[in-house]
Amino acid sequence: MAAGTQGKYQVRFAWGVGGAGRIARDAHLVVWVDVLPVPGRDASRGTDGTARARAAAALLPDGPEVVLGHLGNATAVAGRVTRLQAERGDRCVVAVVAAGRSTGGGADVADDAGEPTDTAEVPESTVEDLLAAGAVVDALVAAGIDHTSPEAAVACAAYTGLRRAVRHLVSAAEGASDLDPETVRGALAAGPDLVVLRESSAAA
C-alpha cells in the first residue's frame, strides 16, 4: 500500500515528483498533468512541454504506465483506465499527479554548494494543473471509477465548480502571465489524444 492515507483509494492526487513517490508506487497508471509550457523555452514549437513531461516521467516510481494529462484529454485518460481494468480483470489504481511550478530553489542552492539534492522538491500549486487534474478525476468518476481520495475529490470539485470559467481562469492565472497569448491559447486547445510518456514496466 502506498505511504500516507491515500493508499486505500483507487484514484489519488498529489503534486510533483515527490507527491508521485507517495501515491504511485502501487498504481497501475500515473497521469502526469502539465498544462502550460515553461516561460522562456521554445514553447511555440511544441517541443518543450513534451520533452519536459517525458523527463519528469523518468523520475516517477518504476512500474506503472505514465500518460500525459491536460484539459483536452481527460476522456481519453478515463478510457485508458477502463481498458486497463478490462485487461486486468480487476480495478486499476490511478495516481493523478499535477506538475505544478518548480521553484528550483533547493536544487540551485545544493548545486552551488556542490552537494547532491537528496529530497524531492515540492512544487508550487498552479491553477491550470489543478483544474486539469480535476478534469481527469471528473472523467474517471463519470466512467464509474469513483473511489477517490479526499485530495482527488477536492481537485475534482475545483474543476466541476468552475467548469464554465476554466478557459478564462487559466488565461488569467499566474502561470500564463509570462507566456504570450498565442501559447496559452495553444495549450488550451490541446487535442483529445492520449500521449504515453512511459510504458509500464510491471510484470503482466
Side-chain angles (χ1 to χ4, degrees):
M1 181 175 287
T5 61
Q6 293 193 55
K8 60 187 176 183
Y9 295 102
Q10 185 178 2
V11 181
R12 308 163 185 172
F13 172 71
W15 288 92
V17 172
R22 294 195 313 276
I23 69 168
R25 294 196 181 279
D26 63 340
H28 303 102
L29 185 73
V30 176
V31 186
W32 180 258
V33 180
D34 197 2
V35 175
L36 295 177
V38 174
R41 306 284 183 86
D42 193 6
S44 63
R45 296 184 184 176
T47 55
D48 171 63
T50 300
R52 185 161 48 94
R54 291 189 187 280
L59 300 176
L60 300 180
D62 292 336
E65 177 181 322
V66 181
V67 299
L68 179 64
H70 52 74
L71 286 164
N73 74 346
T75 299
V77 171
R80 179 59 182 142
V81 175
T82 57
R83 289 193 300 276
L84 280 173
Q85 291 196 148
E87 292 167 8
R88 286 173 42 77
D90 197 359
R91 74 176 196 162
C92 176
V93 175
V94 186
V96 181
V97 182
R101 177 181 300 153
S102 175
T103 59
D108 290 345
V109 170
D111 287 344
D112 290 345
E115 298 290 339
T117 304
D118 57 2
T119 57
E121 180 185 0
V122 178
E124 293 180 1
S125 61
T126 60
V127 166
E128 61 274 10
D129 292 345
L130 176 62
L131 290 172
V136 169
V137 177
D138 182 53
L140 292 170
V141 171
I145 304 164
D146 57 2
H147 188 219
T148 60
S149 70
E151 291 78 4
V154 168
C156 183
Y159 171 73
T160 57
L162 299 167
R163 189 191 308 263
R164 295 187 179 185
V166 164
R167 294 181 67 85
H168 167 72
L169 290 169
V170 173
S171 298
E174 186 177 355
S177 63
D178 293 327
L179 297 170
D180 65 87
E182 187 63 31
T183 298
V184 176
R185 283 193 292 270
L188 286 170
D193 295 339
L194 189 70
V195 175
V196 178
L197 300 174
R198 190 186 73 190
E199 299 286 349
S200 173
S201 62

